[in-house]
Amino acid sequence: MSDTKLQSKIPSGPLSEKWTRHKAEIKVVSPANKRKLDIIVIGTGLGGASAAATLGELGYNVKVFCISDSPRRAHSIAAQGGINAAKNYQNDNDSVYRLFYDTIKGGDFRAREANVYRLAEVSSLIIDKCVALGVPFAREYGGLLANRSFGGAQVSRTFYARGQTGQQLLLGAYAALNRQIAAGTVKSYTRREMLDLVLIDGKARGVIVRNLETGEIERYGAHAVVVATGGYGNTYFLSTNAMNSNGSAIFQCYKKGAFFANPCFVQIHPTCIPVHGTQQSKLTLMSESLRNDGRIWTPKKKEDVEKLRAGKIKPSQIPEADRDYYLERRYPAFGNLVPRDVASRAAKERCDEGYGVNNTGLAVFLDFQSAIQRLGKKVIEERYGNLFQMYEKITDVNPYNEPMQIYPAIHYTMGGIWVDYNLMTTIPGLYAIGEANFSDHGGNRLGASALMQGLADGYFILPVTIGDYLSQDIQTPKIDTNHPAFQEAEKAVRDKINHVFNIKGKTPVDVLHKELGHIMWEYVGMSRNDAGLRKAIKLIDELKHKFETDVLVPGTNDEFNQELEKAVRLQDFIEIGRLIALDALDRKESCGGHFREEMQTEDGETLRDDENYMYVSAWEYQKNGDPILHKEPLNYEFIKPSTRNYKN
């Protein structure tokens, strides 16, 4: 099939002028006409909350839907380490271009130049906006906002609020959202989950949601729909995501015609507390900010490894000369601040060689001994105290005295719904922002860029670009939720729920989800190969059949029923898992978080194939059979893709 369906709408002109020119050229909606238009926003994390607040302030009628009882519970609060911006407060030669280049390079040259440059360009505005909203960023003695370093950069550009940056940024967005709720421009619906997208004449005109407290199925109409529901990392069951985080909303959009881009680009975060039992339901992330001052190592001697595992010695008793600071050894220019995918694979390599330091052999050390000696315990406590406290509560180990144990885990998903430069999907009137879309991170996201993208999309990009589409809709009346398209979509949702109840099997949902997670981690995880991916697809198909014949969903629909919620989401996770594997099988190269064992350099680094795979994979859903692959070429006009080098 032709790829004419993928119109990226990237503006012409110099890179630094594209966004300014585009804003000047696209259409706007007058204040009086904004009051005639309805917009639905699904999700109230940083992207959704900032978008809903800004759209409401502009004068649109906004309906915002939250899966939890309050937007304050959005998973954005877990982004602890910071948010990037090119303000050059440290006077260390940072710039918009340097932030743009680091982000493109960190993503292994698999993102659009124009989108990433725009992200870097508006980054400074985000900080100013958040300060105005009262976000308590850390400050230097002289009053300027403080910065720290993050992986993939050699400058300090990450703004932070101790170890709770995401939470503080979300509280700022939540305050802005509440202001608009009080003003009447935003109507908030909590404890609702989107289960289908409604199309009328090919345009997104509404959603079907389930009230999670009562089980009631509800219809809502609007002139445009914005999806801001995060990523699909919980496909792997064990991940750093909150249990509520799911890919169902974007998957329903995919099934209605929105292309799904780069699903195989899944990020493995290197600093997670290792798995400690078979009954774990999620993993806990230790912020990447810890790699500023923490040093990662394993013992040099196998006998020390054996003693550690047997509990005969403590890590602090291993002499400095017998420690292998392997990131500093392999990547001297960046050391412990290499990008996440590089650090994760390096940890796996050490553990595969038998140097893992815990009972399972799947852990390395993150040590603050040197930093405490250099800076003093008080400084470390001021920077990371709440993170150290969290680690001690979970592991019963005091990280001021002994190093933390960490191991890579599923974290962020760079793939998502395909969007053009305006953040609109292949469905007119449907927009995807933040982690729900694919646009800015390529094959790997640099740390402290998730908050940056969510707020850039919500505060500064979507509120401008959505007007270009809605300017054609000011004569369109309120969307009638009695339209046959709403009736049809609601019936499909009810049929889906009834079908799940009627299976009446014996296997609990979590058992099947764990099984899917094992398949995904084993064959579609940190490293992948042709045989493993083909086996994963076969096993996922078998798991789908097992779900359809033996899943157990107790209770009824007309009540609070978390087993039903999980079952409906697992249906989508199974399909998403298969799509991830299909995309990984198609992409016969290694780039960013996608590591094909057949495609690597002599020293185990990613080996891209720019000649054959310099494109965005955009998958089109087919009801019967495998999806159709469309390709959006990535044309690098302003930079030259090169082999990523973090060694010098």
Side-chain angles (χ1 to χ4, degrees):
M1 184 179 288
S2 164
D3 290 334
T4 54
K5 292 186 178 182
L6 297 179
Q7 300 295 324
S8 61
K9 299 181 181 176
I10 296 172
S12 60
L15 188 63
S16 61
E17 297 177 16
K18 287 182 184 291
W19 178 229
T20 301
R21 284 189 181 186
H22 189 63
K23 288 189 292 182
E25 291 170 356
I26 61 176
K27 297 174 182 177
V28 297
V29 180
S30 72
N33 285 332
K34 285 188 178 78
R35 292 193 291 269
K36 302 175 183 178
L37 297 167
D38 297 332
I39 301 173
I40 284 172
V41 177
I42 307 293
T44 51
L46 278 179
S50 61
T54 307
L55 292 168
E57 191 169 7
L58 287 172
Y60 293 106
N61 301 306
V62 181
K63 303 167 189 173
V64 65
F65 294 83
C66 175
I67 199 170
S68 300
D69 59 346
S70 166
R72 289 176 299 172
R73 296 193 188 278
H75 190 60
S76 298
I77 67 164
Q80 305 150 323
I83 177 171
N84 289 331
K87 279 187 171 290
N88 195 33
Y89 280 170
Q90 305 300 306
N91 196 28
D92 55 3
N93 198 26
D94 198 12
S95 65
V96 169
Y97 184 87
R98 191 176 293 277
L99 173 53
F100 152 73
Y101 184 79
D102 285 347
T103 306
I104 283 275
K105 176 185 174 183
D108 222 347
F109 303 95
R110 288 295 178 264
R112 292 188 194 131
E113 283 182 319
N115 286 67
V116 178
Y117 192 89
R118 176 175 64 184
L119 178 66
E121 190 178 352
V122 304
S123 64
S124 291
L125 299 175
I126 297 170
I127 304 303
D128 296 340
K129 174 82 173 181
C130 292
V131 169
L133 289 170
V135 175
F137 286 118
R139 293 180 182 268
E140 303 288 1
Y141 179 78
L144 279 180
L145 299 184
N147 287 132
R148 57 189 176 201
S149 301
F150 252 66
Q154 291 178 302
V155 295
S156 295
R157 64 162 67 100
T158 304
F159 295 78
Y160 62 97
R162 209 179 183 190
Q164 50 186 257
T165 313
Q167 181 174 358
Q168 297 302 327
L169 290 171
L170 186 64
L171 288 172
Y174 180 54
L177 178 62
N178 277 342
R179 181 168 176 262
Q180 296 310 312
I181 292 172
T185 61
V186 176
K187 175 71 173 173
S188 174
Y189 300 87
T190 57
R191 300 294 292 146
R192 295 327 198 269
E193 182 170 15
M194 174 182 159
L195 294 182
D196 206 356
L197 177 72
V198 180
L199 305 184
I200 299 177
D201 297 327
K203 296 181 178 180
R205 292 303 196 192
V207 294
I208 306 296
V209 306
R210 180 175 182 269
N211 184 318
L212 298 180
E213 293 180 350
T214 66
E216 186 177 352
I217 307 300
E218 302 168 349
R219 309 174 185 178
Y220 296 92
H223 296 90
V225 176
V226 180
V227 178
T229 52
Y232 48 92
N234 274 348
T235 301
Y236 290 75
F237 188 72
L238 283 181
S239 81
T240 65
N241 290 279
M243 294 298 289
N244 253 356
S245 300
N246 65 86
S248 285
I250 59 174
F251 196 74
Q252 301 317 312
C253 297
Y254 165 66
K255 290 175 73 173
K256 283 296 179 76
F259 289 7
F260 205 121
N262 295 339
C264 79
F265 287 163
V266 176
Q267 182 166 79
I268 315 289
H269 199 295
T271 55
C272 181
I273 296 178
V275 176
H276 63 255
T278 59
Q279 300 306 309
Q280 229 171 319
S281 58
K282 75 175 298 295
L283 298 172
T284 303
L285 175 70
M286 297 311 298
S287 169
E288 182 175 319
S289 63
L290 295 170
R291 288 201 278 148
N292 274 278
D293 292 305
R295 301 175 71 192
I296 296 173
W297 64 277
T298 58
K300 289 181 179 179
K301 300 176 181 177
K302 289 280 182 73
E303 52 263 39
D304 285 341
V305 172
E306 296 303 323
K307 289 177 183 176
L308 285 169
R309 293 179 183 176
K312 294 180 179 178
I313 60 171
K314 293 182 177 181
S316 58
Q317 294 174 312
I318 297 178
E320 189 76 10
D322 292 335
R323 301 180 180 192
D324 178 15
Y325 295 97
Y326 58 87
L327 291 179
E328 298 171 36
R329 168 173 56 82
R330 291 180 60 175
Y331 309 101
F334 282 74
N336 295 292
L337 290 176
V338 292
R340 291 173 175 178
D341 62 316
V342 177
S344 294
R345 282 192 296 275
K348 181 178 186 296
E349 184 274 334
R350 287 290 79 199
C351 292
D352 287 348
E353 291 297 314
Y355 291 93
V357 297
N358 68 351
N359 295 343
T360 65
L362 299 176
V364 298
F365 288 131
L366 177 61
D367 196 334
F368 286 83
Q369 181 185 52
S370 298
I372 291 172
Q373 290 174 351
R374 185 179 77 253
L375 301 169
K377 181 179 176 181
K378 187 174 185 298
V379 172
I380 297 301
E381 191 171 4
E382 288 172 352
R383 291 179 181 177
Y384 312 112
N386 61 314
L387 300 174
F388 278 44
Q389 185 182 45
M390 180 174 72
Y391 182 87
E392 185 172 8
K393 282 186 175 181
I394 293 171
T395 66
D396 199 28
V397 172
N398 184 338
Y400 293 105
N401 301 328
E402 297 291 337
M404 295 180 180
Q405 288 187 5
I406 57 169
Y407 193 70
I410 295 293
H411 181 52
Y412 186 92
T413 52
M414 285 73 66
I417 297 296
W418 184 92
V419 292
D420 63 16
Y421 190 73
N422 289 334
L423 305 182
M424 182 151 60
T425 71
T426 46
I427 297 175
L430 175 67
Y431 291 79
I433 64 174
E435 192 180 356
N437 74 31
F438 86 102
S439 67
D440 292 354
H441 306 297
N444 170 64
R445 177 178 67 79
L446 292 185
S449 291
L451 302 180
M452 178 172 60
Q453 188 207 344
L455 293 181
D457 289 354
Y459 279 139
F460 297 108
I461 299 172
L462 176 78
V464 173
T465 60
I466 200 170
D468 188 49
Y469 172 79
L470 290 175
S471 65
Q472 308 164 43
D473 246 2
I474 55 177
Q475 298 299 322
T476 303
K478 298 282 185 183
I479 304 302
D480 181 9
T481 55
N482 291 316
H483 189 282
F486 280 89
Q487 297 173 13
E488 182 181 335
E490 181 180 332
K491 181 180 183 302
V493 167
R494 292 186 183 278
D495 288 347
K496 181 178 183 178
I497 290 172
N498 290 334
H499 170 72
V500 169
F501 275 119
N502 289 332
I503 294 172
K504 299 186 185 304
K506 297 180 180 179
T507 307
V509 177
D510 281 350
V511 171
L512 295 173
H513 197 170
K514 284 181 182 179
E515 193 172 331
L516 174 64
H518 286 308
I519 296 168
M520 296 300 296
W521 182 252
E522 182 69 24
Y523 303 109
V524 203
M526 234 188 303
S527 63
R528 304 154 179 185
N529 59 57
D530 186 276
L533 290 168
R534 293 182 190 279
K535 184 172 183 179
I537 293 169
K538 180 176 180 291
L539 291 173
I540 291 169
D541 287 341
E542 292 172 359
L543 184 66
K544 180 180 179 181
H545 176 74
K546 188 174 179 181
F547 177 97
E548 291 293 334
T549 56
D550 198 44
V551 71
L552 169 65
V553 183
T556 64
N557 180 44
D558 56 352
E559 62 180 346
F560 176 73
N561 190 335
Q562 288 191 302
E563 289 303 304
L564 172 61
E565 294 173 34
K566 291 191 293 186
V568 171
R569 293 168 195 163
L570 180 56
Q571 280 185 305
D572 296 333
F573 282 138
I574 290 171
E575 298 289 348
I576 292 171
R578 193 176 194 279
L579 187 61
I580 295 170
L582 274 175
D583 189 41
L585 187 62
D586 171 78
R587 190 170 284 276
K588 296 179 178 65
E589 66 164 353
S590 292
C591 59
H594 169 61
F595 190 76
R596 285 288 294 265
E597 293 171 4
E598 307 95 327
M599 292 84 185
Q600 57 181 299
T601 62
E602 289 183 4
D603 51 355
E605 304 295 344
T606 56
L607 185 62
R608 293 197 322 266
D609 182 352
D610 291 347
E611 186 176 343
N612 295 304
Y613 293 96
M614 186 77 84
Y615 60 75
V616 175
S617 301
W619 296 89
E620 181 181 8
Y621 177 76
Q622 299 294 299
K623 188 172 184 180
N624 298 309
D626 285 343
I628 296 172
L629 174 62
H630 300 261
K631 301 174 182 179
E632 178 200 342
L634 290 169
N635 300 311
Y636 286 96
E637 185 181 355
F638 299 94
I639 60 173
K640 182 180 179 181
S642 59
T643 300
R644 284 197 304 171
N645 179 11
Y646 294 99
K647 297 181 179 181
N648 49 49

